[in-house]
Amino acid sequence: MTDIDAQIREIFGRILRDIQVELGDEFDQNFERQAFFSEKWARRKSPTRPGGLILVDSGALRQSIRSEIRESSIVFMSDHPGAAIHNEGGEIKVTAKMKRYFWHKYYAATGSFGRRKDGSLRQDKKNNQLSSEADFWKAMALMKVGATIKIPQRKFLGTSPEVEAAVRQIIEENLTEYVNNIDFNIK
């Protein structure tokens, strides 16, 4: 292998590492932006976490994103079970197990109501929120087995004009730095 080949491999490896770091940061920022770069995610219809970030409940999905450099490419992936349906969108079928979970959540939501000393419900903001949350879980629990739930696409990984621009900029910066550091002393 010649000295030029080694230099080309080194600059190519540096470019791939820089792209891996930059895009990893950008994909992570999608969760903060609640958008895939400038493309906003569909709002949640569920009242279960008002004001919370979309796709960030426990943080497991966000933390599951990783990347690998494979020969001449970078692969971003997630092994989280919900990653694909959220990134691509789609439909899921209601199962009997899901219905039991929905009923559990309904009973948990109705048991949290604040009450006065006489046993009647307090008319406050928390109870109103719990009421809408309980209504949501009840509606989910009353769905028939085999019914479909539509999950909107909330892309957080993939290609876009912003990704292409970032890659182009990193390549240009690395090549410019390489060319500027070439020693042209010809003997």
Side-chain angles (χ1 to χ4, degrees):
M1 180 163 57
T2 66
D3 188 40
I4 283 286
D5 290 338
Q7 290 176 359
I8 290 172
R9 287 186 189 279
E10 179 185 335
I11 190 72
F12 193 69
R14 190 177 316 132
I15 288 170
L16 287 176
R17 286 188 302 277
D18 288 353
I19 291 170
Q20 180 183 28
V21 169
E22 178 67 25
L23 291 184
D25 289 344
E26 287 296 329
F27 291 148
D28 184 62
Q29 285 300 309
N30 286 333
F31 290 91
E32 291 294 322
R33 289 186 280 258
Q34 298 189 53
F36 185 63
F37 297 97
S38 59
E39 184 181 323
K40 293 284 185 196
W41 290 339
R43 301 302 307 162
R44 234 190 343 254
K45 293 179 183 172
S46 159
T48 58
R49 290 186 316 122
L53 294 176
I54 300 172
L55 295 187
V56 180
D57 186 16
S58 66
L61 175 61
R62 184 177 186 175
Q63 293 169 359
S64 73
I65 298 171
R66 62 188 202 296
S67 61
E68 293 177 3
I69 295 177
R70 297 181 182 167
E71 294 182 26
S72 62
S73 64
I74 305 165
V75 178
F76 286 88
M77 65 200 95
S78 171
D79 56 1
H80 189 278
I85 192 77
H86 287 297
N87 199 50
E88 303 301 323
E91 294 181 347
I92 56 175
K93 298 255 186 240
V94 175
T95 65
K97 186 175 181 180
M98 290 168 70
K99 285 177 60 80
R100 287 192 301 274
Y101 175 76
F102 297 151
W103 278 118
H104 166 77
K105 294 299 279 183
Y106 168 72
Y107 289 124
T110 56
S112 301
F113 287 119
R115 300 194 178 272
R116 295 188 183 112
K117 289 183 180 180
D118 66 359
S120 63
L121 289 178
R122 275 186 265 159
Q123 296 299 319
D124 58 9
K125 186 176 179 180
K126 184 177 180 195
N127 274 356
N128 290 339
Q129 176 195 336
L130 285 173
S131 178
S132 63
E133 182 177 343
D135 290 343
F136 170 78
W137 288 117
K138 185 176 183 180
M140 295 296 285
L142 290 174
M143 293 179 84
K144 294 192 182 316
V145 172
T148 58
I149 299 172
K150 186 176 185 320
I151 307 294
Q153 181 183 28
R154 295 185 176 116
K155 191 173 185 176
F156 52 89
L157 288 178
T159 61
S160 74
E162 292 91 342
V163 169
E164 292 172 13
V167 168
R168 189 176 306 109
Q169 180 181 3
I170 290 168
I171 292 170
E172 288 173 1
E173 287 173 359
N174 276 280
L175 291 178
T176 302
E177 180 183 335
Y178 174 73
V179 169
N180 288 341
N181 289 331
I182 292 178
D183 184 13
F184 287 108
N185 284 338
I186 301 174
K187 297 177 185 175

